[in-house]
Structure formats: C-alpha cells, structure tokens
Amino acid sequence: MTPRPPLLSVDDALDQIIKAVSTMPSERIAVETALGHVLAADINANLSHPPADVSAMDGYAVHSSHLSSTPKSLTVIGESAAGHPFNGVLGNGVLGDGFLGENQAVRIFTGAYVPQGADAIVLQEDTSRDGDVVTILEQPKPKQFIRKAGQDFSRGDLIASKGATLDARRLALIASSGHGTVPTHRKPVVAIISTGDELVRPGSTPKEGQIVSSNDLFLTHLVTSLGATAMNIGQVADQDDALTKAFDQAKSADLIVTSGGASVGNHDGVARHMNESGGLAFWRIAMRPGKPLIFGQIDQTPMLGLPGNPVSTGVCAMIFVAAAIRKMLGQDPLPKPSHAKLLAPLGENDLRQDYLRARIHIDDQGQTWAEAFNKQDSGMLKTFADADGLIIRPPHAPPAEDGDPVPVLLLPR
Ligand code: AMP
Ligand code: MG
C-alpha cells in the first residue's frame, strides 16, 4: 500500500484557496439597491452636512450680545424654516439686507438656516410672542442650539472605506453626503450542492433511513450574509451521473460548494469525481472537524467540497468558503482571532488543528472567558447553534489549564 501524503495544514489550505480565487469586477449601483454589497473604493463626501449653520430647535434666532439682560423685547423681522431660508424680506414686506440688526429676531424652526447676524437660538418655550414682538425670557449663550456648517461632515471627508459591507446606517450617510450610486464588487454567485441519498427537504417527514438536509440551508444563509448570491442547485443523489449533471448546472457560478460525499466511502462521489476529473488541487487537511475537505476546480470554476457532517460543513464554510468570498469581495480574507481565557482545562492536541465549539462570555472586569462543550461530535448541530465561538487548538498544542489564554473565533449572532 502506498503511504498517504501528510495532511495539508489549515494555513496552507487557506493560502491555496485565497490564491486561486479572483476578486470580482466592480460596478456602480444605486444606493437604493446597495444593501449588503461591498464597496470597491473609498467614498468621500461630495457635500457638507449641514450645508450651512442651521437651528437645532424651534424658537427665535437672535444675537446674544443684544440680550445682556432679560426679559427683553425684540422685533420679529421674518421667518426661516427648513427648505425656506430667511431671505431678508422683513416683516413689513420691505427687502432688508438679510442681516439681523440690533434688537431684531427671526422666527426659526429646526433644520432652518440661521440668518446672518444671529449667533444663538432661543427656545420657543423661553419666549412670549405678541404680534411682531417677541419677548426673550432667558438669556442665551452664544452658539446655543446652532448646528455648525459641516459639523457632521465636510466635502472631501472620508465617509466609507473600500471593503466595507454596506448596511442601512452607512448607506444613509453615503446618500446624505451626495452620492446616488456607489462602486461595489459584483456579488459572487455561489452554487450550493448537497449530496446524499438520505436527504429530504426541510419541512418534510423523513422516512426510514432519511434525514432532513440542513447543510444547503445553512450554506445559503451563510454565503448570503457574507455578501454573495446563493444559487441552490438542490439535493443530489449519490450517483455519479447525478453529480456530473449538478456540476454542469453549477459551472456558471463563481464558486461551487458541495456538502457530503467528500470522504473515502463507496458512496462518496464528490471525492471520486474530483480525483477522476483532474480538477483536484488538494484533499484532506489537518483539521477537526473537516478532515476530508476538498479544493479544486470544475472546468474554470473553483470548488470547495465540504464534508457532510453538519458541523464539519458549518465550520469549514465559516473558514474556507468565507475566506474565498471575502477575497472575491476585495476584503481581508482572514479575520483576526480574538483571545479568551479558559474556564476549563484542555488536553494536549494531536496533529489536527481543532475548532472547539465553546460558550464565551465577558465578565464584569471585561475579561473574556471560553469553555468548550464536553462533546465535540461533528454531527451535533445543537452545540454549534448554541456556541458563541470556536476555540482554536493548533496542532500539537500542549495541555492548557484554567486561565490560560487561547485564540477564539467569535461566531456572529
Ligand atoms: P458524508 O460526508 O456524505 O459521508 O455525510 C456525513 C454525515 O453527514 C452523514 O451522517 C450524513 O447523513 C450527514 N449529512 C450529509 N449531508 C447532509 C445535509 N445536507 N444535511 C444534514 N446532514 C447531512
Ligand atoms: Mg453522503
């Protein structure tokens, strides 16, 4: 028997995947449709906000120096409302110089331009009005209730950085800074194939020997949340013809992800297909869960073959599929792990890098603690769903005691 090649390390596997996938071209899209897209370039403000000094309250624009003692009565010479700045037309219809003079006030509302010559807003509640005369009851401080021009941002300021995933808040900012479109990376299309004669669709009642397929649902949601478009090819029987047909359908995608059939059993068609097609780049890595991971290409399309156990699929997808998608979207493919202290000891590790499902919490002192679940079977989806993160145990890590620091990958909630 020929000896098996040594298992590829997680880092080398990541390296090969990241090198083999290309960043998607960029395209300009409307801000209205950009939610979840990734920016392909920095965005600088085209406008300043506010565009001029504006009132933060409803009240009266005054000059604080006219009001060294209160109560004091001022003549109301006009009005400034949002969208309708005070244009210098005085209360008597005569065009003035648009400048607030001695003992004059302008009625003003939130968001309205502050007239020239005013340096403070007096709250409506701190005044009494009689015809054209307003009596100011409270002495204003200079600048009070005025939002300075550009206090939010000024033309030219950096508003959003290349690589940012656009959410509602960032898009609101980008739009208000004068952009109707944004440069984004085209979303990669990820074809998802789940293999297995035993699989039935969510919601159906499994017959003898069957189980509900969860991997394609998980992968669909994961790749969507990472900013890709999922193309679910469906559940494919463990027959070579069926798999070949599914790959033909999937080839138009930017990345193909399969689950199941990755190991050495008679029914593991994905490994066989990749071995025989000549598209295999690597198979089997030094990782737990996820040893039988496959990477290669179907024609020109990169493919990742994930082992079918749901936690192997999940963890491998969060590490390898995520790295590929991030690279395709022009983002840093490898998120930096955090650190936590162990709440319970861990034994010495073997040659495979472990990703242990764990509870993670921050104590009152701000210290992060992690405790691995007792059972780490890769078929146990409940602990995967309950986990706050994964403790990373590098190959041959020595035994670790309570309080020892360990690298952790926090799982998004
Ligand atoms: P395989 O990698 O095909 O040998 O599958 C390993 C284990 O994962 C088996 O117990 C399968 O039944 C299970 N499995 C495979 N695919 C799925 C799936 N899509 N959803 C849930 N479990 C699966
Ligand atoms: Mg299978």
Side-chain angles (χ1 to χ4, degrees):
M1 230 171 79
T2 44
R4 291 214 163 180
L7 299 178
L8 194 68
S9 73
V10 170
D11 287 349
D12 288 347
L14 277 169
D15 202 48
Q16 283 199 39
I17 294 166
I18 291 164
K19 283 202 178 103
V21 300
S22 322
T23 301
M24 305 297 294
S26 65
E27 59 185 6
R28 273 205 165 267
I29 58 172
V31 286
E32 287 86 351
T33 59
L35 185 71
H37 286 257
V38 174
L39 273 184
D42 288 348
I43 304 279
N44 295 88
N46 273 343
L47 303 171
S48 298
H49 186 255
D53 292 1
V54 296
S55 178
M57 294 289 178
D58 294 331
Y60 289 86
V62 298
H63 200 286
S64 55
S65 68
H66 305 163
L67 293 159
S68 43
S69 66
T70 50
K72 182 164 181 187
S73 296
L74 305 175
T75 309
V76 180
I77 60 169
E79 182 177 296
S80 184
H84 305 280
F86 174 62
N87 60 7
V89 178
L90 304 183
N92 56 10
V94 176
L95 187 63
D97 57 7
F99 200 92
L100 202 69
E102 185 82 29
N103 299 331
Q104 292 181 331
V106 165
R107 178 74 169 122
I108 198 163
F109 302 95
T110 305
Y113 282 22
V114 176
Q116 290 184 62
D119 77 342
I121 308 299
V122 178
L123 297 183
Q124 185 171 320
E125 299 88 304
D126 296 334
T127 65
S128 75
R129 177 81 181 257
D130 183 10
D132 282 350
V133 174
V134 61
T135 303
I136 307 295
L137 306 172
E138 292 286 331
Q139 205 177 340
K141 294 192 185 71
K143 302 184 188 169
Q144 77 175 22
F145 304 124
I146 291 178
R147 295 184 178 139
K148 292 299 288 176
Q151 97 169 20
D152 189 1
F153 52 80
S154 297
R155 188 183 164 85
D157 283 356
L158 181 66
I159 289 300
S161 299
K162 177 177 157 54
T165 301
L166 295 171
D167 59 14
R169 288 183 291 141
R170 190 64 51 185
L171 280 165
L173 174 65
I174 289 171
S176 74
S177 79
H179 296 274
T181 62
V182 276
T184 58
H185 288 289
R186 181 166 74 69
K187 286 189 170 216
V189 175
V190 180
I192 296 164
I193 299 171
S194 50
T195 70
D197 287 348
E198 73 280 31
L199 304 177
V200 297
R201 293 179 57 77
S204 41
T205 308
K207 299 197 178 70
E208 193 184 336
Q210 296 183 322
I211 59 161
V212 175
S213 175
S214 57
N215 288 347
D216 40 347
L217 181 80
F218 171 84
L219 290 168
T220 299
H221 290 324
L222 180 80
V223 307
T224 306
S225 70
L226 287 164
T229 300
M231 170 176 152
N232 201 342
I233 305 287
Q235 290 150 19
V236 176
D238 288 317
Q239 285 159 11
D240 293 351
D241 290 356
L243 193 59
T244 305
K245 214 173 121 197
F247 279 142
D248 277 344
Q249 265 179 279
K251 272 188 320 207
S252 64
D254 300 297
L255 175 69
I256 301 171
V257 179
T258 62
S259 91
S263 199
V264 294
N266 292 348
H267 303 283
D268 289 334
V270 179
R272 191 165 50 246
H273 183 102
M274 294 308 291
N275 262 317
E276 289 171 3
S277 71
L280 185 69
F282 68 73
W283 179 30
R284 295 156 49 86
I285 59 169
M287 172 170 169
R288 182 172 30 238
K291 180 166 125 185
L293 183 80
I294 297 169
F295 181 61
Q297 55 187 52
I298 309 276
D299 290 352
Q300 300 304 310
T301 311
M303 81 76 79
L304 268 162
L306 312 181
N309 274 305
V311 181
S312 308
T313 292
V315 173
C316 286
M318 286 179 147
I319 292 169
F320 301 104
V321 176
I325 292 175
R326 289 199 193 101
K327 164 83 185 280
M328 291 171 137
L329 290 171
Q331 297 175 314
D332 182 357
L334 302 176
K336 307 276 166 288
S338 325
H339 281 85
K341 287 188 173 182
L342 283 180
L343 263 181
L346 293 172
E348 186 181 0
N349 196 16
D350 63 9
L351 78 171
R352 286 160 70 184
Q353 176 146 305
D354 267 337
Y355 290 83
L356 305 174
R357 280 150 275 165
R359 290 258 188 226
I360 296 179
H361 78 276
I362 300 176
D363 69 16
D364 295 345
Q365 278 79 51
Q367 176 61 53
T368 305
W369 294 91
E371 181 173 16
F373 287 98
N374 278 336
K375 279 197 100 160
Q376 293 284 333
D377 187 296
S378 60
M380 292 170 64
L381 206 42
K382 184 167 183 303
T383 49
F384 188 45
D386 288 344
D388 307 299
L390 302 169
I391 299 175
I392 304 174
R393 295 285 285 156
H396 306 295
E401 301 302 325
D402 291 16
D404 282 355
V406 284
V408 291
L409 284 180
L410 298 177
L411 298 177
R413 277 276 168 226

